[in-house]
Amino acid sequence: MIKAHLLAAIIGAGFLASSVTTFAADGSAILQSQCASCHALTQPEKVTLDHIWERKGPDLYYAGVKFNKPWLVKWLQDPVRIRPSGVFYRTHIKKGEKADVVDESTLIDHMKLTQADAEAAADALMALTGPEGLIETGKFDKDKKASPMAKMLFVKLRGCSACHSTGDGKGGLSGPELQTAGERLQPDFIYSYTKDPQKIDKGVWMPKLAISEQDLQNLTSYIVQLSGKKEAK
Amino acid sequence: MMNINRIISQLAGITLISLCSFSNPAIAADDDQFKHAERLYDTYCVQCHGMNRDGNGLNSTYMSVQPRDHSDPKGMGDIPLEEIAEVLKKGGLAANKSVLMPAWGEIFSDEEIDQLTAYLRHICKCGSN
């Protein structure tokens, strides 16, 4: 009888161990089964305009150097639209009364994950760090606050708000909203993408501007702190 | 009689299709010539300049300076080709125009700039130079 209990305990422990192992591997399995049809999980060999037009979601092969994990876990359970005109604005617009408008009927809601799946998927996503040197790490001075000039740079001098909204009903719609960027994105990613979007997302419809180091620091600080404000004023 | 009528109507249809296909060979040639430039325009320019190329793009509502109407023969026809190419490559400031027109020289090759310049002349219907 004791032997039987011992045997059952050993089998139980073995089952538990295998469950833990399976759970740890679930993140990659979730990415492959639920994400890969819309997102590139590995770097495409050659990026052409067709890739930009045809992809159904942003590339995720560098998600680990892009996103903040706590945000990922939260967002995957309760996704809120980040890109007001979809993953590629051109395929989600129509003629409005005067100007082009977003064709809401073409936008698809992102799937929701359970908490356990979101945590596992976030872990797996954070392991996707893309090619070496994609992001410039350590260049952005996290301790320095945005100067009063930063908003002027964002809105007028560098024209960021022509394409990006900041949660105050202002700003364009062809790029992702930036009012949650500080919560969503790693500061080094914001810095690097602002400096050279084409290096990170080749072919994307955001131009590479010649921005001075000082302005880059200021713009990054400004974008990071937008998350802490209800409205960007 | 029905057969004759059917044959006549089919011949008329074929003739009509033929006329449509060959009545304006220049348009067909243009379509091929500007295919890549049109794709570039649709990817990068439409966000501000609009699906109708008239300056009423998705972002235009939110911009302090309205994007140029590329369908305007007068406004576009007055700009020399060299200046159009310069603005595409180096941005609006290079020609004392809006800062909101970014420099695309890091994305478009010189050949693509030339193609887009020619395409802009094509869509404003304002000549080749």
Side-chain angles (χ1 to χ4, degrees), chain A residues 49-50 53 85 88-90 93-95 98-102 156-157 159 162-163 171-174 198 203-209, chain B residues 36 39-48 50-54 56-63 66 99-100 102-104 106-107:
Chain A
L49 274 185
D50 289 344
W53 278 76
S85 53
F88 178 40
Y89 80 95
R90 184 60 188 87
I93 55 174
K94 63 182 181 182
K95 282 307 300 173
K98 182 176 184 295
D100 298 347
V101 294
V102 176
K156 292 193 171 163
L157 300 178
C163 303
L173 303 174
S174 67
Q198 297 296 323
V204 71
W205 51 102
M206 175 168 163
K208 179 186 175 184
L209 305 177
Chain B
H36 184 60
R39 183 80 155 166
L40 291 174
Y41 192 101
D42 269 327
T43 308
Y44 300 99
C45 312
V46 162
Q47 55 187 324
C48 298
M51 295 164 78
N52 285 357
R53 282 76 168 126
D54 57 2
N56 293 316
L58 178 66
N59 294 331
S60 64
T61 311
Y62 308 92
M63 294 167 77
Q66 288 304 285
V99 68
L100 296 182
W104 294 100
E106 294 280 346
I107 298 177

